[in-house]
Amino acid sequence: MRAPQLLLLLLAFGRSQAARNTTFPEGFLFGAATAAYQVEGAWNTSGQCLQPLPLWLMLQYRECIAGKGEHIWDRMVHTRPNCIADRTSGDVAADSYHKYKEDVKLLKDVGFNFYRFSISWARILPKGDVSVINKDGIDYYNNLINELLANNIQPVVTMYHWDLPQHLQDLGGLVGSAFGDYFEDYARVLYTNFGDRVKWWLTFNEPGTFVDGYTSHGCVPPAVDAPGVGDYLVAHSILKAHARAYRLYDREFRSEQKGNISIALSAGYGTPKTNSNADIEATETFMQHSLGWFAHPIYSQEGDYPAVMKERVANNSKAEGLFRSRLPEFGEYWVNYIRGTADFFGLNYYSSWVVSHVGSSLDRASRWSDMDVMSSQDPGWTVSVATWLAYTPFGMRGLLSWVSKNYNNTPILITENGWADTGEINDTMRAKYYVNNLAHLLDAIYLDNVTVLGHTAWSIIDNFEWAQGYTQRFGLHHIDFNDPQRPRTPKESARVFAALIKNRKLPENYLDKVIE
Ligand SMILES: *[C@@H]1O[C@H](CO)[C@@H](O)[C@H](O)[C@H]1NC(C)=O
Ligand SMILES: *[C@@H]1O[C@H](CO)[C@@H](O)[C@H](O)[C@H]1NC(C)=O
Ligand SMILES: *[C@@H]1O[C@H](CO)[C@@H](O)[C@H](O)[C@H]1NC(C)=O
Ligand SMILES: *[C@@H]1O[C@H](CO)[C@@H](O)[C@H](O)[C@H]1NC(C)=O
Ligand SMILES: *[C@@H]1O[C@H](CO)[C@@H](O)[C@H](O)[C@H]1NC(C)=O
Ligand SMILES: *[C@@H]1O[C@H](CO)[C@@H](O)[C@H](O)[C@H]1NC(C)=O
């Protein structure tokens, strides 16, 4: 028997079904999420401006310059179509740019308290910097925010969900020396235009995922092959930029706007493969080196990267004959500047991993060889159409407790959680996934004293799943991407959510029996 199964059994006998409280505490918030590139479409509105115009025309139609700019995902889908499983793109996606009112109606019908969406940087600032501000882009997000508030749904806004303006990529991208300046300026534009109504901000979504754009020539832009180097450099730059956006809010906006700011970090929950000390230690290293990488500098008392991470990368770098660690150093100024720059913990949770110790390998340097661990899935788990996503609801409680313990019981908002399939309307597996993830979330609240502010379902609608195109669906509502009207149809999971939000209680029928 594998360790996680044993763990589940122990949990099963450790408490009875009757003891589990399936009622949500007062004030607990329910929301659903999307990201700009995955749903908006309208990739080139006023797009004629992307092409060079004769000078006289440019002078005559200045507003024409202010279309949406191209970003790194636009560039990738158009220049490397083979990267996308079904050779599609987000050019039109769910067409939420035109159908946002319909999307707000879907949120309202399910009963969600908030909508987490992202702003497309290149839609507001076509070149990434503030030299051009696209009024259409500002108008679009103002309309969306106003429509949400008119329906009593709070906007939770992500500033960066992977769609870097191509112009900034050309100027060095996320690791360019001016990136922090550009991000701070962008944040100022957002606070200034939307901060009177937006009270929840997330600076970056899942930096631990998009750093993979710097680990291979694969299909995450900008596809730079520098594992164990580029990913660390990006993370370093992102942590500083995040902190700058937070400090800017403190200095100039917080006293008036009174909002909350954080970052959305993703993590798989690691469980040791065996109960050997080596595997238990490997699991802790895995957690520190994946989630602690971003969380420790922001949320720990002492700040900076986790000690185990600094030590391992430094040792390996030395053994490789390098003159300095591949993990950059912050220095005291930045350690202090970054520490404490979050008002809550934004956490994306989908799935768990079985973790074991590897023992020194001769692999090419990477953050995985630095960790010296292997993560795999238990053969007993049900795996979704997305190979990385297994049905492991116990990890919801495990991860919440890990975060709460490591970071001084900081309040946590689950900023993403969801299940992938191929688009079934009767999506009973998704319903089961949500009900049982929420059951373990409630266990974390009631049994482990974790402060959980709310839960966000990924996603309210089917959307463009990056390199997987439209082959993997996460929506509570189905979209027919072959129909120009992009019709939305509620799935079983939308109905289950509507009932559980209304009753503020989990339904019995989808709840796994803890004792057989
Ligand atoms: C379950 O939780 C609800 C909401 O927090 C609370 O009102 C109720 O007393 C709890 N029930 C039990 C049996 O603890
Ligand atoms: C926008 O892109 C579409 C392809 O997605 C193309 O057909 C159309 O001509 C472009 N529009 C402009 C204004 O460039
Ligand atoms: C900010 O978050 C705290 C919990 O961390 C909450 O009590 C407060 O109401 C939030 N502020 C707003 C404006 O939502
Ligand atoms: C790093 O190297 C030092 C000195 O050789 C050693 O004492 C320490 O155990 C190593 N740390 C790790 C995490 O391997
Ligand atoms: C959905 O699927 C479940 C399980 O397969 C089945 O019991 C149920 O009748 C189906 N519902 C509809 C509306 O087809
Ligand atoms: C949770 O808090 C209660 C009340 O403060 C305390 O009695 C209990 O021991 C705590 N449980 C855990 C697991 O920390």
Side-chain angles (χ1 to χ4, degrees):
M1 181 180 294
R2 300 279 180 139
Q5 286 169 351
L6 188 66
L7 185 73
L8 280 177
L9 263 184
L10 286 175
L11 282 175
F13 288 111
R15 62 171 193 272
S16 68
Q17 180 83 351
R20 182 178 243 183
N21 192 338
T22 57
T23 298
F24 288 90
E26 207 177 309
F28 186 89
L29 300 169
F30 294 95
T34 59
Y37 185 58
Q38 294 177 273
V39 301
E40 284 179 2
W43 82 277
N44 63 352
T45 53
S46 315
Q48 64 271 33
C49 306
L50 296 174
Q51 282 131 40
L53 289 176
L55 187 59
W56 65 268
L57 204 59
M58 273 178 61
L59 293 176
Q60 207 167 341
Y61 296 99
R62 276 195 67 85
E63 74 275 16
C64 169
I65 296 165
K68 174 183 159 293
E70 185 191 24
H71 57 59
I72 56 175
W73 272 88
D74 291 326
R75 176 67 63 92
M76 201 191 75
V77 298
H78 295 145
T79 56
R80 299 176 63 201
N82 286 331
C83 261
I84 313 302
D86 51 4
R87 296 180 62 94
T88 57
S89 75
D91 286 359
V92 179
D95 200 20
S96 291
Y97 185 75
H98 297 108
K99 297 174 80 82
Y100 70 92
K101 285 193 179 171
E102 218 176 292
D103 292 342
V104 174
K105 174 92 169 39
L106 301 179
L107 291 157
K108 173 90 175 167
D109 287 348
V110 178
F112 284 119
N113 308 113
F114 66 88
Y115 179 38
R116 178 182 171 216
F117 63 93
S118 82
I119 287 182
S120 168
W121 190 340
R123 191 180 293 291
I124 298 229
L125 306 176
K127 300 180 73 173
D129 64 18
V130 296
S131 62
V132 183
I133 298 183
N134 178 23
K135 188 174 170 301
D136 286 353
I138 303 273
D139 289 350
Y140 169 65
Y141 294 110
N142 269 330
N143 291 341
L144 172 58
I145 290 164
N146 293 342
E147 183 74 10
L148 287 166
L149 292 174
N151 284 281
N152 202 21
I153 299 169
Q154 285 298 312
V156 175
V157 176
T158 313
M159 299 180 185
Y160 182 80
H161 202 123
W162 308 3
D163 45 0
L164 187 72
Q166 182 62 40
H167 186 66
L168 294 188
Q169 182 59 48
D170 297 341
L171 290 172
L174 302 176
V175 295
S177 60
F179 178 71
D181 294 336
Y182 293 130
F183 190 71
E184 186 181 310
D185 291 352
Y186 169 51
R188 178 187 294 280
V189 170
L190 300 185
Y191 300 145
T192 305
N193 282 281
F194 311 121
D196 57 333
R197 286 151 295 148
V198 172
K199 301 301 164 194
W200 295 82
W201 296 100
L202 294 158
T203 54
F204 291 92
N205 181 66
E206 291 195 8
T209 306
F210 67 70
V211 293
D212 282 337
Y214 284 79
T215 57
S216 80
H217 288 313
C219 289
V220 182
V224 174
D225 184 30
V229 177
D231 36 2
Y232 292 145
L233 289 177
V234 174
H236 206 67
S237 182
I238 293 300
L239 281 160
K240 289 178 172 178
H242 157 81
R244 286 184 60 174
Y246 184 93
R247 299 282 179 209
L248 168 67
Y249 194 73
D250 270 358
R251 280 197 316 274
E252 299 184 35
F253 297 92
R254 186 183 295 279
S255 61
E256 199 182 313
Q257 300 188 346
K258 300 184 175 66
N260 275 338
I261 307 187
S262 186
I263 181 169
L265 303 179
S266 59
Y269 177 61
T271 56
K273 181 162 188 173
T274 70
N275 55 16
S276 70
N277 283 339
D279 284 356
I280 291 171
E281 205 180 298
T283 304
E284 183 61 15
T285 302
F286 166 80
M287 294 304 296
Q288 291 294 351
H289 208 119
S290 49
L291 180 55
W293 183 12
F294 296 95
H296 199 275
I298 298 174
Y299 296 97
S300 70
Q301 297 293 320
E302 62 272 28
D304 204 352
Y305 295 121
V308 61
M309 186 175 180
K310 289 196 290 186
E311 199 176 304
R312 285 182 157 279
V313 185
N315 281 10
N316 287 348
S317 303
K318 199 170 167 196
E320 291 154 17
L322 303 179
F323 296 164
R324 63 183 81 239
S325 177
R326 286 182 277 100
L327 185 70
E329 278 180 28
F330 280 122
E332 201 186 330
Y333 174 82
W334 282 104
V335 166
N336 291 329
Y337 188 91
I338 295 167
R339 189 180 51 200
T341 54
D343 302 317
F344 62 96
F345 198 114
L347 183 63
N348 293 1
Y349 171 71
Y350 288 88
S351 194
S352 296
W353 298 99
V354 178
V355 181
S356 54
H357 174 69
V358 177
S360 359
S361 64
L362 296 172
D363 277 347
R364 182 180 178 198
S366 72
R367 66 180 194 274
W368 291 96
S369 63
D370 287 335
M371 283 184 238
D372 199 16
V373 307
M374 193 168 87
S375 63
S376 58
Q377 288 165 329
D378 186 283
W381 293 346
T382 302
V383 179
S384 75
V385 61
T387 53
W388 52 270
L389 205 180
Y391 179 74
T392 53
F394 63 88
M396 175 64 90
R397 177 179 173 189
L399 185 61
L400 284 167
S401 299
W402 192 92
V403 169
S404 188
K405 260 191 224 106
N406 275 268
Y407 308 116
N408 197 27
N409 195 25
T410 181
I412 304 168
L413 178 65
I414 293 292
T415 36
E416 281 182 31
N417 179 230
W419 182 255
D421 61 18
T422 52
E424 296 84 327
I425 303 278
N426 188 15
D427 59 340
T428 50
M429 189 60 203
R430 178 170 293 106
K432 175 178 151 84
Y433 177 94
Y434 278 124
V435 169
N436 289 285
N437 270 269
L438 285 165
H440 286 270
L441 181 153
L442 288 177
D443 288 349
I445 294 178
Y446 293 125
L447 305 177
D448 304 338
N449 290 342
V450 179
T451 308
V452 189
L453 303 171
H455 172 274
T456 314
W458 180 275
S459 170
I460 186 66
I461 47 178
D462 285 345
N463 56 56
F464 180 71
E465 180 58 11
W466 312 107
Q468 305 307 323
Y470 301 103
T471 63
Q472 298 180 359
R473 307 294 187 91
F474 284 83
L476 301 179
H477 296 85
H478 176 270
I479 293 187
D480 180 353
F481 290 97
N482 294 317
D483 185 327
Q485 299 305 314
R486 298 296 191 273
R488 281 106 163 110
T489 309
K491 301 180 187 177
E492 167 73 0
S493 55
R495 276 185 271 275
V496 168
F497 245 109
L500 82 80
I501 293 173
K502 182 161 172 279
N503 303 327
R504 299 192 69 79
K505 189 171 170 56
L506 296 173
E508 287 297 329
N509 55 335
Y510 282 103
L511 208 48
D512 289 338
K513 294 280 172 287
V514 182
I515 293 177
E516 301 300 340

